[in-house]
């Protein structure tokens, strides 16, 4: 690299005027980078605030259609749906996850017919459906990998039948991407994408999400036996390579901000479409600081998202999506 020294080089020259800063900017954030995660609840015409996530609501299916419409109008390419399952439909084996008439499948069908041109992403994991709040099935006090795979294959199958475009397994069982890919090929769903949570860490930043889907009170044990250790980086590369090998079309690193180094390594070393998930705790943290007058909400939001692009992400899951999209429209 050739770098001249001061005063022949004065880096501030390029920064002096707004037009020059615009011209020399290396990365940009666009509405086309955004995936909007939306919480769904049973009933009609209800939008319920999620206490731990300012500005985020759980929507009934009819109102979720309006969200999808709004997202489409704003130019957001895809939405991701997460259900709050009523407690009486939860069970030890999470059977509701494979019920083709469950809340998620009903909502996917409704959105697909009302807003056919938006991408719909469905989460594959059992935690919204289990009484114990774990992502898989428990046998002898341990989340059993291979037993869980069967349930995940069936869960993915009913979601695809309902019309979802992208399957996003967030469960972190070994071999689930391959198992789901085999099922999709067998059943002739050649063009359904798998966006796998390849490097998902056992993180403290998921707290507000667990309130939103109603799994936090059920959850007694941690998820460390399947989600990754926050201390590990090389392992993220191995996990991602396995998912690519098994048939993933793109991968997710999660959480986002505390894991920018992982996003950078994965995207640069593997040259594979890499998405960042700015999780609930990151969203709520920025809001909480702004509510105290310690941060400027819009500036912190925009900066946090742009930094994912700089790190190498090709897109970002964020609860800020509609707010950012509106802001970008006005720029
Ligand atoms: C569950 C799942 C979680 C999130 C997405 N899918 C929580 C968890 O693993 O406990 C977290 C999302 C967020 O915090 O925004 N499979």
């Amino acid at each position: 690299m050739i770098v001249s020294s001061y005063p022949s080089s004065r880096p501030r020259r390029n920064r002096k005027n707004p037009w020059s800063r615009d011209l020399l900017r290396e990365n940009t954030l666009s509405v086309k980078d955004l995936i909007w995660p939306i919480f769904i609840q049973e009933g009609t015409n209800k939008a319920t605030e999620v206490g731990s996530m300012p500005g985020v609501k759980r929507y009934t299916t009819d109102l979720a259609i309006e969200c999808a419409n709004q997202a489409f109008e704003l130019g957001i390419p895809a939405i991701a749906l997460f259900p709050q399952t009523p407690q009486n439909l939860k069970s030890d084996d999470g059977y509701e996850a494979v019920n083709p008439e469950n809340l998620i499948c009903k909502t996917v069908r409704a959105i697909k017919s009302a807003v056919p041109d938006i991408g719909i992403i469905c989460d594959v994991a059992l935690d919204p459906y289990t009484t114990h709040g774990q992502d898989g099935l428990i046998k002898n006090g341990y989340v059993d990998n291979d037993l869980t795979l069967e349930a995940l294959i069936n869960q993915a199958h009913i979601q695809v039948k309902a019309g979802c475009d992208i399957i996003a397994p967030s469960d972190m069982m070994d071999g689930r991407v391959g198992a789901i890919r085999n099922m999709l090929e067998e059943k002739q769903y050649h063009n359904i994408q798998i966006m796998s949570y390849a490097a998902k860490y056992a993180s403290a930043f998921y707290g507000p999400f667990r309130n939103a889907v109603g799994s936090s009170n059920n959850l007694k044990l941690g998820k460390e036996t399947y989600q990754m250790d926050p201390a590990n980086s090389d392992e993220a590369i191995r996990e991602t390579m396995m998912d690519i090998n098994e048939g993933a079309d793109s991968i997710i690193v999660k959480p986002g901000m505390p894991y920018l180094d992982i996003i950078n390594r994965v995207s640069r070393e593997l040259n594979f479409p890499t998405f960042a998930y700015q999780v609930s705790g990151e969203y709520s943290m920025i809001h909480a600081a702004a509510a105290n007058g310690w941060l400027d909400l819009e500036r912190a939001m925009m900066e946090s998202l742009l930094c994912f692009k700089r790190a190498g992400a090709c897109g970002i899951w964020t609860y800020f999506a509609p707010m950012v999209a509106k802001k970008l429209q006005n720029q």
Side-chain angles (χ1 to χ4, degrees):
M1 210 194 305
I2 301 164
V3 182
S4 62
S5 51
Y6 171 86
S8 53
S9 177
R10 288 179 183 267
R12 293 185 57 190
R13 257 181 233 132
N14 285 346
R15 297 182 199 135
K16 180 158 183 272
N17 296 304
W19 62 261
S20 178
R21 293 195 294 273
D22 283 345
L23 203 54
L24 287 145
R25 189 160 298 126
E26 294 177 40
N27 296 285
T28 51
L29 179 69
S30 145
V31 68
K32 299 301 175 197
D33 297 320
L34 304 174
I35 294 171
W36 181 17
I38 301 174
F39 297 112
I40 313 292
Q41 64 179 350
E42 297 275 2
T44 44
N45 196 25
K46 262 195 319 198
T48 315
E49 308 264 348
V50 176
S52 51
M53 300 179 73
V56 170
K57 295 182 176 134
R58 290 185 210 101
Y59 298 95
T60 51
T61 301
D62 51 329
L63 298 186
I65 295 173
E66 285 177 24
C67 293
N69 230 327
Q70 185 199 356
F72 183 72
E73 295 295 319
L74 285 165
I76 296 172
I79 54 175
L81 307 178
F82 291 99
Q84 183 203 36
T85 309
Q87 197 63 29
N88 65 328
L89 291 180
K90 294 189 184 187
S91 58
D92 260 10
D93 62 3
Y95 190 72
E96 182 65 7
V98 301
N99 170 9
E101 294 305 316
N102 71 17
L103 179 59
I104 279 297
C105 291
K106 282 190 288 190
T107 307
V108 170
R109 284 192 288 267
I111 293 176
K112 251 294 139 189
S113 64
V115 196
D117 294 326
I118 196 155
I120 303 180
I121 306 177
C122 283
D123 191 69
V124 170
L126 301 182
D127 55 309
Y129 307 99
T130 51
T131 35
H132 44 73
Q134 295 290 343
D135 292 23
L137 301 174
I138 298 181
K139 196 173 154 189
N140 303 328
Y142 180 70
V143 173
D144 188 275
N145 196 83
D146 298 8
L147 203 61
T148 302
L149 289 186
E150 288 306 311
L152 299 177
I153 294 168
N154 294 331
Q155 184 183 20
H157 187 206
I158 61 160
Q159 291 173 345
V160 168
K161 276 201 284 196
C164 109
D165 302 289
I166 304 184
I167 290 293
S170 72
D171 53 280
M172 287 299 278
M173 297 302 119
D174 295 332
R176 88 276 205 221
V177 172
I180 293 170
R181 178 56 75 207
N182 284 342
M183 178 277 290
L184 293 173
E185 282 299 313
E186 251 168 47
K187 307 224 182 285
Q188 311 282 316
Y189 291 110
H190 304 305
N191 282 324
I192 297 296
Q193 295 180 31
I194 299 178
M195 185 186 289
S196 81
Y197 293 74
K200 175 171 175 180
Y201 288 85
S203 170
F205 290 92
Y206 306 147
F209 173 97
R210 292 178 187 169
N211 292 334
V213 299
S215 68
S216 43
N217 291 339
N218 297 332
L219 197 63
K220 300 286 177 291
L221 301 166
K223 300 191 177 183
E224 291 79 7
T225 68
Y226 45 103
Q227 298 180 349
M228 282 180 57
D229 185 336
N232 296 352
S233 172
D234 290 341
E235 190 187 10
I237 301 292
R238 294 196 295 275
E239 278 277 11
T240 307
M241 286 168 79
M242 283 180 75
D243 284 8
I244 295 172
N245 250 314
E246 290 176 29
D249 301 285
S250 57
I251 65 98
I252 304 169
V253 173
K254 175 181 180 187
M257 287 169 357
Y259 296 81
L260 286 178
D261 59 321
I262 306 297
I263 294 164
N264 187 261
R265 270 196 78 179
V266 168
S267 62
R268 299 275 190 270
E269 290 179 29
L270 303 178
N271 298 311
F272 201 71
T274 303
F275 288 80
Y277 197 138
Q278 183 181 53
V279 301
S280 56
E282 302 173 59
Y283 172 87
S284 299
M285 216 162 54
I286 293 176
H287 263 287
N292 276 293
W294 299 334
L295 284 180
D296 178 302
L297 181 66
E298 284 204 349
R299 287 189 56 204
M301 166 181 86
M302 296 308 274
E303 183 179 332
S304 70
L305 296 171
L306 176 63
C307 291
F308 289 121
K309 295 294 300 292
R310 190 199 61 226
C314 71
I316 307 140
W317 295 53
T318 176
Y319 301 95
F320 285 120
M323 191 175 165
V324 180
K326 282 178 207 147
K327 170 120 179 114
L328 289 169
Q329 258 181 350
N330 298 331
Q331 269 177 3

